[in-house]
Amino acid sequence: MEAKMNIHDVAKKSGLSVVTVSRVLNNLPSVREANRQKVLKAMEELNYQPNSAARSLVRGKTGVIGMSITNFNDSFYDRVIRVVNRKLAAQGYFLALSIAENEDEGDNFLFQKDRVDGIILLSPLEEKAYVEELKRKNIPFVLLDNQFQHEDVPSVVVDNYQGGYEATKHLLDLGHTQIAYIGGPSVFLSVAERKRGYVQALEDAGLTPFGTEYCSFTVSGGYEVAKRWIREDKLPTAFFSGDDFIALGMVQALREEGIRVPHDISIVGFDDQQFVGEFYPRLTTVRQPEAQMGNIGVDLLLKMINGEVMPPAVTKLAPQLLIRESTASVRLP
């Protein structure tokens, strides 16, 4: 039976000390690159796979990062999670997910120091309670796409104001002056910020909002709003919808009434859900920089875990307007 290789075998093979091999295994920066390569080459030749539990003991850490999310039914969340998972894996960490679909589920099971080295909160519903709990337990954490600013917590957010402004400016540039805003639930900061950008773009053009309304972040929510506006005969020439699901519901409701998008009414969405570029008309929308958000979030958290003192700054990322087929120049009467 073949003997199992251990860290001493790697040290002997590489001609370096056990301490140096241990530092390489734990991704510590205090190793010369030439020595790191010697250790990696010796590990490969010996087919040595370091035991994750042993590595955790050496580190005094679990090797696990927890991530609390609200749901999976969203391409934005999905893309952030994928980026975070890839980046953590490259650093030798496992990602553990906790899905808090209901606001009244109580304490999050991941929020224990013996389970995780740190926590990433993505769009948390119970943000203030979670922040207080993690501070009390002294667990390093970062906030992504959060609602509130916390003086001593690093966070990464999208500039939703800029997104709302650019979406509305795009419609204005196409000649639209009657532009309405349909947002998600008004309790969300992102919804308010997108509306604020919409209002400012109109003000800069010397215009006032045609109308605003809020509904759920769903296709049915947008569908019902559009149907009601059609019944009340108060349609604008363009809608800025603060969510792609809402926008798709509106497109469907308008289509059923023989109102064509973008020939009769233009629509802009928000988020760039993965399927909106595949339906006709392909949706003009605002994409959030989820890769940047995930990468920066992981960098901040790992620095905190390694003992670096982090400034509690808010990193604000710029979204990107993607112009497709659901917007067109205003049709003159």
Side-chain angles (χ1 to χ4, degrees):
M1 186 173 164
E2 189 178 338
K4 192 170 182 181
M5 294 295 168
N6 60 38
I7 193 170
H8 296 281
D9 297 308
V10 176
K12 188 177 178 182
K13 181 80 172 174
S14 64
L16 298 166
S17 70
V18 170
V19 172
T20 300
V21 173
S22 176
R23 283 176 176 159
V24 172
L25 292 178
N26 289 286
N27 290 319
L28 296 177
S30 56
V31 181
R32 288 204 303 273
E33 185 57 31
N35 287 344
R36 185 184 302 277
Q37 292 304 323
K38 284 181 186 176
V39 171
L40 294 175
K41 186 169 185 287
M43 286 169 60
E44 187 178 354
E45 289 176 1
L46 293 170
N47 195 25
Y48 172 67
Q49 299 292 328
N51 181 290
S52 61
R55 288 176 63 181
S56 297
L57 284 171
V58 172
R59 290 179 181 172
K61 295 174 181 173
T62 66
V64 176
I65 299 298
M67 189 175 197
S68 175
I69 62 174
T70 49
N71 65 62
F72 273 119
N73 304 322
D74 192 295
S75 300
F76 168 66
Y77 292 150
D78 177 65
R79 291 188 295 243
V80 173
I81 293 164
R82 286 174 187 273
V83 168
V84 167
N85 185 53
R86 276 199 302 270
K87 192 168 179 77
L88 286 174
Q91 296 294 321
Y93 282 94
F94 293 102
L95 177 65
L97 292 180
S98 168
I99 308 167
E101 294 186 274
N102 300 311
E103 295 186 39
D104 304 318
E105 289 187 348
D107 287 355
N108 192 302
F109 78 97
L110 284 177
F111 295 0
Q112 301 293 338
K113 267 201 158 181
D114 60 348
R115 291 178 183 158
V116 296
D117 295 338
I119 291 283
I120 297 170
L121 297 179
L122 175 59
S123 307
L125 293 174
E126 290 286 289
E127 182 173 328
K128 288 182 177 177
Y130 279 1
V131 166
E132 286 175 13
E133 184 183 353
L134 290 166
K135 281 182 182 175
R136 190 173 68 250
K137 293 179 176 177
N138 200 27
I139 299 172
F141 70 101
V142 296
L143 293 161
L144 305 184
D145 190 40
N146 49 301
Q147 294 273 50
F148 307 101
Q149 186 167 339
H150 305 270
E151 291 181 4
D152 48 359
V153 184
S155 60
V156 187
V157 298
V158 173
D159 192 339
N160 285 289
Y161 166 81
Q162 182 187 340
Y165 190 97
E166 289 186 4
T168 309
K169 180 72 164 57
H170 169 61
L171 293 169
L172 290 166
D173 290 345
L174 291 171
H176 294 277
T177 56
Q178 297 180 325
I179 305 170
Y181 172 67
I182 310 299
S186 58
V187 296
F188 289 101
L189 177 64
S190 59
V191 172
E193 284 294 280
R194 290 166 197 175
K195 181 188 174 184
R196 191 167 70 86
Y198 153 80
V199 170
Q200 189 61 56
L202 290 173
E203 278 186 17
D204 290 352
L207 299 168
T208 55
F210 180 88
T212 62
E213 191 163 337
Y214 304 96
C215 61
S216 61
F217 288 121
T218 60
V219 173
S220 60
Y223 180 89
E224 287 159 13
V225 167
K227 282 289 188 180
R228 187 167 63 254
W229 283 40
I230 291 164
R231 284 197 304 271
E232 295 170 3
D233 194 26
K234 63 170 190 178
L235 289 176
T237 64
F239 282 104
F240 166 39
S241 169
D243 176 80
D244 286 342
F245 290 108
I246 295 171
L248 290 178
M250 299 186 82
V251 170
Q252 180 61 26
L254 293 167
R255 180 181 289 146
E256 288 178 5
E257 301 292 332
I259 301 167
R260 294 166 295 174
V261 177
H263 186 266
D264 301 313
I265 290 181
S266 288
I267 293 183
V268 179
F270 207 105
D271 279 343
D272 193 31
Q273 299 290 337
Q274 66 185 60
F275 49 81
V276 299
E278 298 171 10
F279 284 88
Y280 178 80
R282 293 166 63 243
L283 190 66
T284 294
T285 189
V286 179
R287 177 159 179 156
Q288 304 198 58
E290 65 285 328
Q292 268 185 289
M293 178 175 280
N295 278 315
I296 293 170
V298 170
D299 285 340
L300 287 171
L301 184 60
L302 294 185
K303 284 178 180 177
M304 292 170 73
I305 290 169
N306 291 329
E308 292 187 38
V309 179
M310 299 302 301
V314 176
T315 304
K316 193 171 277 191
L317 305 176
Q320 178 189 9
L321 176 68
L322 301 175
I323 299 170
R324 296 192 180 116
E325 298 166 354
S326 65
T327 50
S329 297
V330 66
R331 200 160 60 97
L332 299 175

